[in-house]
Amino acid sequence: MTAGLSVVCRGLVYIYRLDGYDIVALSGVDLDISAGESVALLGPSGSGKSTLLALLAGLLAPSAGRLTVGEHDLVRATAAELQAMRAADVGVVLQGAGRNLLPYLTAEQNVRFAQRGVPAERRRSLPDPREVLTTVGLTGRGRNRQRPQRLSPGERQRLALAVGLAGRPGLLLADEPTSQLDTRARDEVLLALDAVRRAGTTVVVVTHDPDVGRRMGRTVTIRDGRVGAEGRRGEDYAVVGRDGTVHLPQDVLRMLPPGTLVGVEPQPDGTVLLVPARANVEGVQ
Ligand code: ADP
Ligand code: MG
């Protein structure tokens, strides 16, 4: 078992500063992930998913807000502390398997190389690279001795996961680990992720694939740089933002286009009605 790490984001803001102008990629993310939970981050392209993942990984520093991963306060942490956290506690699998792999090393050597970054006192307790490869279903047929190019795309993606898991992290972050894979390869990656979740590791996966979302148990949809919706066990919920705003789902937005006036009417049974104003109602001009 690996002790999973919890994640807390409060009003998390990230601004890319280009010369002359700023791009607000995250505009106040509130998100709690419990230790051992697995979450799929969904949302349209450009909504801020990869930026959020990079912040959780300590690869980017928050512009404002609070962010903790396990015991680590990522707002206060120095560069050296962030580096130590990445080496010992957080596994990152960047989008595109190849970006995580050294092409001239075998599968086993890639995992071993990733373990070299782990602090010496922790390194002794790490699993043998072949054991990590077994977790992601990459054993047999001499695949541990193959270089990445000789593996199939699905195998390569699972090797990238193995590299992310090499240091036995409490938090695994993976950006689009199933994109560009056929169904069978995708299912194999999902099986590998299931094994990681069962081991108690907290998992956060960015994905476009609703099936991957269902598999993770909890989905968090990022819209315009904040959490717009959540899904739990197949139910979808809008999330009330800290400023009181709610992102309406698309089908409701068609009924209540932007600019619509709505009465917000709390009911005795605890539900709340949204009642659009009709233009011809007395008193409404
Ligand atoms: P997603 O992963 O959901 O597609 P990103 O986190 O990549 O979204 O991007 C969020 C926003 O930040 C987008 O508007 C994108 O154009 C911008 N962005 C992402 N990376 C950079 C960067 N390196 N420099 C400037 N802007 C960026
Ligand atoms: Mg992205």
Side-chain angles (χ1 to χ4, degrees):
M1 287 291 281
T2 313
L5 294 177
S6 59
V7 173
V8 178
C9 308
R10 287 281 176 283
L12 189 61
V13 173
Y14 188 79
I15 302 170
Y16 289 100
R17 299 197 185 281
L18 303 179
D19 29 56
Y21 60 100
D22 296 344
I23 296 171
V24 181
L26 297 179
S27 56
V29 171
D30 292 306
L31 179 63
D32 281 52
I33 302 172
S34 326
E37 196 173 21
S38 48
V39 174
L41 289 182
L42 309 173
S45 175
S47 56
K49 304 179 296 293
S50 295
T51 303
L52 180 55
L53 215 65
L55 284 162
L56 298 182
L59 294 167
L60 296 175
S63 306
R66 280 173 43 206
L67 173 58
T68 58
V69 172
E71 301 286 298
H72 305 281
D73 178 340
L74 300 206
V75 177
R76 296 227 176 98
T78 62
E81 284 163 353
L82 288 177
Q83 200 180 347
M85 178 191 85
R86 281 202 301 277
D89 293 327
V90 180
V92 186
V93 184
L94 302 171
Q95 186 170 0
R99 286 171 68 199
N100 303 282
L101 303 173
L102 291 165
Y104 49 86
L105 296 183
T106 67
E108 195 175 319
Q109 287 167 337
N110 263 285
V111 176
R112 200 179 295 282
F113 184 82
Q115 291 181 330
R116 295 217 321 228
V118 176
E121 68 277 9
R122 282 269 304 265
R123 213 179 305 156
R124 260 171 266 124
S125 63
L126 290 181
D128 185 84
R130 265 182 277 182
E131 198 182 312
V132 185
L133 291 173
T134 306
T135 311
V136 299
L138 271 187
T139 34
R141 292 191 275 126
R143 284 177 295 187
N144 58 317
R145 290 190 301 275
Q146 298 289 358
R147 291 184 184 189
Q149 300 99 298
R150 301 288 302 277
L151 298 171
S152 69
E155 289 172 337
R156 221 168 13 248
Q157 186 60 58
R158 281 182 285 143
L159 176 58
L161 278 181
V163 165
L165 292 168
R168 197 175 263 171
L171 172 64
L172 179 73
L173 307 168
D175 201 347
E176 302 276 7
T178 62
S179 63
Q180 294 170 356
L181 296 183
D182 61 31
T183 315
R184 191 164 144 227
R186 190 198 67 163
D187 289 346
E188 284 166 357
V189 170
L190 286 176
L191 282 176
L193 282 172
D194 284 345
V196 176
R197 295 164 47 206
R198 276 198 305 274
T201 311
T202 310
V203 178
V204 180
V205 173
V206 169
T207 184
H208 273 99
D209 185 338
D211 283 342
V212 179
R214 275 189 281 281
R215 189 78 159 240
M216 291 290 130
R218 178 178 173 196
T219 59
V220 171
T221 303
I222 308 293
R223 288 209 195 101
D224 291 336
R226 74 170 186 83
V227 175
E230 286 217 25
R232 310 256 178 137
R233 294 174 292 277
E235 301 275 341
D236 291 320
Y237 298 95
V239 179
V240 180
R242 58 175 48 219
D243 55 357
T245 55
V246 174
H247 282 273
L248 300 175
Q250 285 304 320
D251 49 340
V252 178
L253 200 55
R254 274 190 292 276
M255 296 164 65
L256 304 173
T260 306
L261 302 182
V262 287
V264 181
E265 300 179 2
Q267 302 297 299
D269 65 357
T271 60
V272 178
L273 283 181
L274 294 182
V275 185
R278 279 176 290 137
N280 58 355
V281 171
E282 219 179 320
V284 176
Q285 299 299 314

